[in-house]
Amino acid sequence: MKIGTKILHTGKETDPVTGAVSVPIYQASTFKQASLDKPGEYDYARSGNPTRGALEEIIARLEGGTHGFAFASGMAAISSIFLLFSAGDHLVVCSDVYGGTYRVLTRLFNRFGLDVSFVDTTDLQQAAGAIKENTRALYLETPSNPLLKITDLAGVASLAKEKGLLTIVDNTFMTPYWQRPLEQGLDIVAHSATKYLGGHSDIIAGLAVVKDPNLAREIKFIQNSFGAVLGPQDCYLLMRGIKTLKVRMEQHQQGAMAVARWLQEQPGVKEVYYPGLPEHPGHMLHKKQASGFGGIVSFRMETPELARQVLERVQIPALAVSLGAVESIISYPLTMSHAAMPPEIRQKAGITGDLIRLSVGLEDPGDLIADLAHAMSSI
Ligand SMILES: *Cc1c(COP(=O)(O)O)cnc(C)c1O
């Protein structure tokens, strides 16, 4: 089955009890046992809930994994994955990682003795050079946020195998529709399902997927112990969102490509970052490991003043944090998604005042371009 079919036919799309063609919301915190020594499949809903179970099975199958886990947010999923490690362990993390991931590592997990090095993982030699005696894992985003840099998934997988390290990929920007890291030898996939998987700016949710039974047992233990689980209503909305993932992703990409090409022609625009452009340094590598380019386009204006004016004058995209929704969202990484990064680190990562990130929604691309043209021309 192709991924477009799998999205709708995962084996968990109907309710096994009634045959309802959408999974019901089991709004229950506990489940009655048949007798004292006969516990059922479900007991207490932190440990498991049928609505959540259906979602977890769906994301596992879409990512090509065996076990999925649903969390209260992308950060809850990512933080729960970090709970696999112990004081004294060291992680190698890509340098332009999501701001919240940077914050949780440098301001919370550091308190518990988890040591981190941030490196440009697009250069595998830099990644290899950062590995220490106590390194336990490599953590990356490809394309990265917000500069859409591409890291070689197969290269990272073989480096990690050689050194006995776990590999973790935040697959939020691509979704399993375009890219499936587990199939390329990586160990753990994390998602902010708030973004493309949910797709409608109406929930905060996170997911993790693995294919190794021991790793699955450990994450299940953390999910149940730490307890940052996703509630049944949000599980339902997320499953509803996933049903249209294929058509949304195709359309986001078509719009993003049109906007990126148009931006390249504009005199006020200094640089355009979109992996679908043949000029993008990671274009060929990305094409090898993913089947599409996604809907996020970042670009640099000639000056920070011009960037701020564009952000203030556009009318169709919402000026907001977040991405991956049906409506276009425009953001200013400097003060929004990456505000939690110290200025000198941000500067080094290229997240400066001239940079804009646009999540291209499902509007007619011609209207988006006209809106951007108006915002630029009135400067
Ligand atoms: C938004 C985002 C997160 C955090 O997810 P939340 O659902 O907001 O907690 C993590 N990684 C990436 C790439 C994101 O865009």
Side-chain angles (χ1 to χ4, degrees), residues 63-87:
E63 284 286 2
T66 54
H67 295 79
F69 303 92
F71 295 92
S73 67
M75 284 320 303
I78 291 165
S79 300
S80 296
I81 290 167
F82 290 146
L83 290 174
L84 287 165
F85 306 109
S86 305

Side-chain angles (χ1 to χ4, degrees), residues 134-172:
N134 57 338
T135 303
R136 292 279 318 276
L138 296 166
Y139 181 101
L140 47 116
E141 293 176 21
T142 179
S144 66
N145 182 10
L147 286 170
L148 302 143
K149 289 191 197 161
I150 308 301
T151 293
D152 181 352
L153 287 174
V156 164
S158 74
L159 172 65
K161 285 232 163 64
E162 189 188 308
K163 306 269 184 186
L165 309 176
L166 277 179
T167 44
I168 306 158
V169 182
D170 180 336
N171 203 26
T172 300

Side-chain angles (χ1 to χ4, degrees), residues 264-287:
Q264 279 187 309
E265 306 291 311
Q266 305 314 305
V269 178
K270 205 159 56 181
E271 219 168 330
V272 182
Y273 305 90
Y274 182 62
L277 295 172
E279 300 80 18
H280 187 286
H283 177 72
M284 291 312 289
L285 174 60
H286 183 80
K287 258 175 93 161

Side-chain angles (χ1 to χ4, degrees), residues 71-78 96-101 103 139 141 143-145 170-173 190-195 203-207 296 321-324 337-338 357:
F71 295 92
S73 67
M75 284 320 303
I78 291 165
D96 56 342
V97 70
Y98 175 72
T101 305
R103 177 175 54 200
Y139 181 101
E141 293 176 21
S144 66
N145 182 10
D170 180 336
N171 203 26
T172 300
F173 274 34
H191 279 286
S192 169
T194 308
K195 316 293 168 54
I203 53 164
I204 296 285
L207 297 166
I296 309 294
V321 173
S322 200
L323 56 97
S337 59
H338 289 69
R357 187 186 74 193

Side-chain angles (χ1 to χ4, degrees), residues 208-252:
V209 187
V210 298
K211 58 178 196 287
D212 173 75
N214 290 325
L215 211 42
R217 220 168 296 129
E218 282 187 66
I219 294 181
K220 174 85 205 161
F221 174 77
I222 292 167
Q223 186 193 37
N224 189 39
S225 306
F226 192 60
V229 295
L230 191 63
Q233 306 245 5
D234 287 348
C235 288
Y236 173 84
L237 284 170
L238 183 46
M239 283 188 279
R240 184 179 164 111
I242 289 172
K243 286 179 187 184
T244 56
L245 186 65
K246 175 185 162 149
V247 286
R248 286 188 288 108
M249 292 312 280
E250 293 284 355
Q251 201 61 40
H252 282 302

